[in-house]
Amino acid sequence: MKIVARTIPPRSAWMLEQAGVHPLLARLYAARGVQTREELDDGLARLLAPDGLRGAHEAALLLADAIRDDKRLCIVADYDCDGATACAVALRGLRLLGAKHVSYLVPDRVVDGYGLTPPIAERVAATGADVLITVDNGIASVEGVAAAKARGLAVLVTDHHLPGPALPAADVLVNPNQPDCGFDSKSIAGVGVMFYVLLALRSELRARGVFDLPAAAGPPQGGRASPSGGGEAHEVASRGVGRPQPKLDVLLPLVALGTVADVVKLDANNRRLVAQGLRRIRAGVMPAGVAALFKAAGRNAAAATTFDFGFALGPRINAAGRLADMTLGIECLTTDDSARAEELARMLDGINRERRDIEGGMRDQALLLAESLFDEDGSETPRAAISVFDADFHEGVVGIVASRIKDRYHRPTFVFAASGAPGKEHELKGSGRSIPGFHLRDALDLVAKRHPGVLLRFGGHAMAAGCTVAEEHFETFERALAQVAAEWLDAASLTRRLDTDGPLAPEYLRVDLVDTLHREVWGQGFAPPTFSEEVEVISQRLVGEKHLALKLRHKGQPVDGIWFGHTEPLPPRVVIAFRLDADEWQGVRRVRFLVEGAEI
């Protein structure tokens, strides 16, 4: 591992500090590309306008007509947290805006696979639906959309994934990554795309006189979209005729949860969506299911952080799609019955515990398989990418295990399991995770071109992707992916690099500053603060047989530390990378270092 301190532009840091930003935060923000305090404004008025999202206006027209004509709408969701929150946002939002007949369907991970397939389209048609709406999927569902259209359904695709060579022939496509879309936030999550469609729909309904602006909203301001009822791009058709427009900001806690859980890049617009969601949760304004998930996870909603979304709530929602039925997660997020929400949250918590048990066994076996690719001394790997398969692996957990292996060896990694779908037992379903500099979906595309027929299906992003191969072609895929990795990655790329914010001044070892840092919005592309410098190791011991508890001396001050998942002892003096945490013991809160890595 190589620990590298980020460059901190001194002028940007100085300007932020002069504008009233705390000196430590000014330094952290400047290192992440922030130059002015205005960029840190997370107000609703600063959100990008929906009219910049290609297809949003057309989607609003389609949905407004469907609501007017009392048509039946059916949402086809994905089975991860982004898909579940997007489905919940669609259900809640469409009902708020007047839709009377809204249902949903979630494909089964094992039986149906991902996305809108022809069989799923047939099932939607069988419900009597008139309009099919995808959330967090559909951009690659060429055959599924065609099947839906053949059954007379109008199809609205809302997605954020990268499109393939052909776009589906839907009535409307809303995806910031489709050709000719100028929306600035290309990293918006699926739940964010659906939220923007609802903003556009409300604006269209207001233009038709269905809704009136709240009296306190004031005159519309062109180009801005305020979820709570402020200015939007359209003028009201006739004031005083319609009923007061619903406030869509009640959906922001769900938007924030799905955005963080999907590990999309937290660009400025995504950070604002997340910040607004966190603000409402901390104030106690959230769906009953979100509150219940905080309780089940043992987290304090009043002090909610992005870490809670990513490591507590998100995994509990995801567990339903991995091992059970994602309808449990969606029902938890859509019910307004607190008792029912707590019951569902407890069920999700239990499923997540089961997921962790399965993951632990799979991870150990996968590590053994990966280690077999290494030389005896463990210093090198003969391949620049890792692909492993075991007949006992559970396909619902392969993505998590791939992430663990990738973190361990800093190699693009695919983990495969045998398909559990009837009649497809000969197929292997794989999930991959990548490292910087290796675009996983593009790599799969190259493998498919070089070895026609090996990949039955594939798709995804730069850092995460999925694919299906026949079991007989697994070794061909393994070699082919490793060959692409060897061509695209050099020795520097294959060395794990941990970017940090450099040394931490001793005056910042304060619990109140830890709380300040935790309240900020951190995540993918806007990394949480991580510091690095040499410390003295006073004592160390194993806790729970797999964590290293430390007594350290940092610039003359004693401080506790812990390195989760690490068991090897440290030398008396060592350069570590660490995050700040506050540990409580006998009612006293103290600063603690969470060690992320060390140069040993």
Side-chain angles (χ1 to χ4, degrees):
M1 173 185 288
K2 185 176 182 181
I3 295 176
V4 180
R6 297 183 180 89
T7 299
I8 303 172
R11 179 168 177 79
S12 295
W14 179 82
M15 290 179 64
L16 289 169
E17 191 172 342
Q18 291 300 303
V21 178
H22 186 281
L24 178 58
L25 284 173
R27 168 183 156 193
L28 297 173
Y29 286 140
R32 287 154 182 77
V34 176
Q35 297 182 16
T36 66
R37 180 156 190 164
E38 287 68 31
E39 295 175 60
L40 301 174
D41 182 356
D42 60 14
L44 292 172
R46 296 281 295 179
L47 287 176
L48 295 173
D51 54 14
L53 181 60
R54 184 180 184 189
H57 177 62
E58 291 76 11
L61 295 176
L62 187 155
L63 293 172
D65 288 347
I67 292 173
R68 178 198 63 201
D69 298 336
D70 205 22
K71 290 187 175 180
R72 296 182 177 274
L73 314 177
C74 183
I75 300 157
V76 175
D78 188 20
Y79 37 66
D80 67 357
C81 188
D82 187 18
T85 52
C87 185
V89 163
L91 287 166
R92 287 182 172 275
L94 288 169
R95 289 166 181 165
L96 276 172
L97 296 174
K100 297 177 181 176
H101 308 289
V102 192
S103 61
Y104 72 93
L105 189 154
V106 188
D108 182 280
R109 179 188 292 268
V110 174
V111 177
D112 300 310
Y114 171 77
L116 174 61
T117 60
I120 294 294
E122 293 292 332
R123 284 163 58 186
V124 172
T127 68
D130 303 298
V131 181
L132 187 157
I133 306 165
T134 72
V135 292
D136 192 32
N137 74 94
I139 196 64
S141 301
V142 176
E143 295 178 355
V145 169
K149 295 291 294 178
R151 290 297 301 268
L153 290 162
V155 180
L156 164 60
V157 167
T158 74
D159 200 354
H160 70 125
H161 294 93
L162 297 174
L167 295 176
D171 292 84
V172 181
L173 290 176
V174 186
N175 183 334
N177 291 301
Q178 67 177 304
D180 301 321
C181 181
F183 194 64
D184 284 342
S185 181
K186 299 296 183 183
S187 300
I188 193 170
V191 66
V193 174
M194 188 62 225
F195 180 69
Y196 265 79
V197 168
L198 293 171
L199 289 177
L201 172 58
R202 187 181 63 178
S203 183
E204 173 62 24
L205 291 173
R206 193 176 68 242
R208 297 183 182 196
V210 176
F211 300 131
D212 194 1
L213 278 175
Q221 301 170 13
R224 290 295 174 197
S226 173
S228 60
E232 290 183 26
H234 295 290
E235 293 285 348
V236 179
S238 56
R239 294 188 59 85
V241 175
R243 57 190 173 90
Q245 66 177 10
K247 291 187 175 183
L248 296 181
D249 59 356
V250 297
L251 304 174
L252 286 167
L254 295 170
V255 176
L257 169 57
T259 298
V260 174
D262 209 44
V263 202
V264 295
K265 180 182 178 182
L266 291 187
D267 58 23
N269 204 62
N270 279 339
R271 292 202 308 275
R272 289 179 184 119
L273 290 171
V274 172
Q276 288 290 332
L278 281 172
R279 185 170 299 167
R280 283 156 180 78
I281 290 172
R282 291 167 185 164
V285 180
M286 71 195 99
V290 174
L293 286 167
F294 270 96
K295 183 176 179 180
R299 302 296 181 106
N300 180 13
T305 70
T306 52
F307 292 97
D308 294 325
F309 290 155
F311 298 101
L313 276 67
R316 283 166 172 78
I317 296 290
N318 279 326
R322 296 185 187 281
L323 301 184
D325 184 351
M326 184 47 92
T327 57
L328 294 172
I330 294 172
E331 186 180 348
C332 181
L333 298 176
T334 53
T335 183
D336 292 320
D337 183 330
S338 297
R340 178 60 175 158
E342 290 192 6
E343 178 187 5
L344 289 164
R346 286 193 297 269
M347 292 173 63
L348 292 170
D349 185 61
I351 296 169
N352 191 52
R353 293 176 190 275
E354 180 185 357
R355 186 271 304 170
R356 285 201 298 260
D357 291 341
I358 294 172
E359 177 198 335
M362 278 181 58
R363 182 181 64 247
D364 293 343
Q365 177 62 15
L367 283 169
L368 289 174
L369 293 170
E371 286 171 4
S372 69
L373 301 175
F374 283 67
D375 290 340
E376 289 184 0
D377 64 359
S379 61
E380 297 182 26
T381 178
R383 294 176 183 172
I386 296 172
S387 300
V388 296
F389 159 68
D390 189 281
D392 293 329
F393 283 174
H394 191 295
E395 64 179 279
V397 189
V398 288
I400 299 175
V401 175
S403 182
R404 303 290 189 261
I405 304 301
K406 181 266 297 183
D407 290 343
R408 173 76 173 268
Y409 293 108
H410 196 67
R411 297 289 190 275
T413 300
F414 263 91
V415 176
F416 286 84
S419 174
K424 295 186 177 181
E425 293 80 3
H426 66 289
E427 293 184 359
L428 305 183
K429 297 175 74 171
S431 186
R433 299 294 184 268
S434 195
I435 62 175
F438 192 78
H439 194 297
L440 209 52
R441 186 193 173 281
D442 287 354
L444 292 177
D445 187 53
L446 184 54
V447 169
K449 288 182 171 65
R450 289 178 174 179
H451 303 273
V454 167
L455 285 172
L456 301 177
R457 291 175 294 278
F458 70 90
H461 299 290
M463 303 304 288
C467 67
T468 302
V469 303
E471 184 171 356
E472 62 184 10
H473 291 147
F474 170 72
E475 291 185 0
T476 301
F477 171 83
E478 181 185 16
R479 290 192 297 269
L481 184 69
Q483 178 62 38
V484 174
E487 295 169 6
W488 290 5
L489 297 170
D490 56 19
S493 301
L494 292 171
T495 300
R496 186 185 175 200
R497 170 183 168 133
L498 185 53
D499 292 318
T500 76
D501 296 291
L504 179 70
E507 61 265 27
Y508 294 145
L509 286 181
R510 305 200 321 258
V511 170
D512 63 314
L513 277 179
V514 173
D515 292 339
T516 296
L517 293 180
H518 284 188
R519 281 193 296 269
E520 300 301 306
V521 174
W522 313 104
Q524 182 70 22
F526 205 77
T530 303
F531 306 96
S532 61
E533 57 192 307
E534 186 177 78
V535 296
E536 179 184 353
V537 179
I538 301 171
S539 66
Q540 51 191 313
R541 61 186 176 87
L542 283 180
V543 293
E545 298 184 356
K546 56 183 179 180
H547 310 303
L548 192 63
L550 302 162
K551 297 288 186 181
L552 306 171
R553 182 168 284 111
H554 169 263
K555 294 183 176 175
Q557 296 186 34
V559 61
D560 289 340
I562 189 164
W563 192 346
F564 290 112
H566 184 87
T567 59
E568 297 298 318
L570 296 177
R573 298 196 68 86
V574 62
V575 174
I576 63 170
F578 59 94
R579 291 189 291 111
L580 294 180
D581 189 31
D583 186 34
E584 186 170 336
W585 175 252
Q586 295 182 340
V588 178
R589 298 181 71 221
R590 298 171 299 179
V591 174
R592 177 175 68 165
F593 288 178
L594 301 181
V595 181
E596 298 283 304
E599 288 187 346
I600 302 175

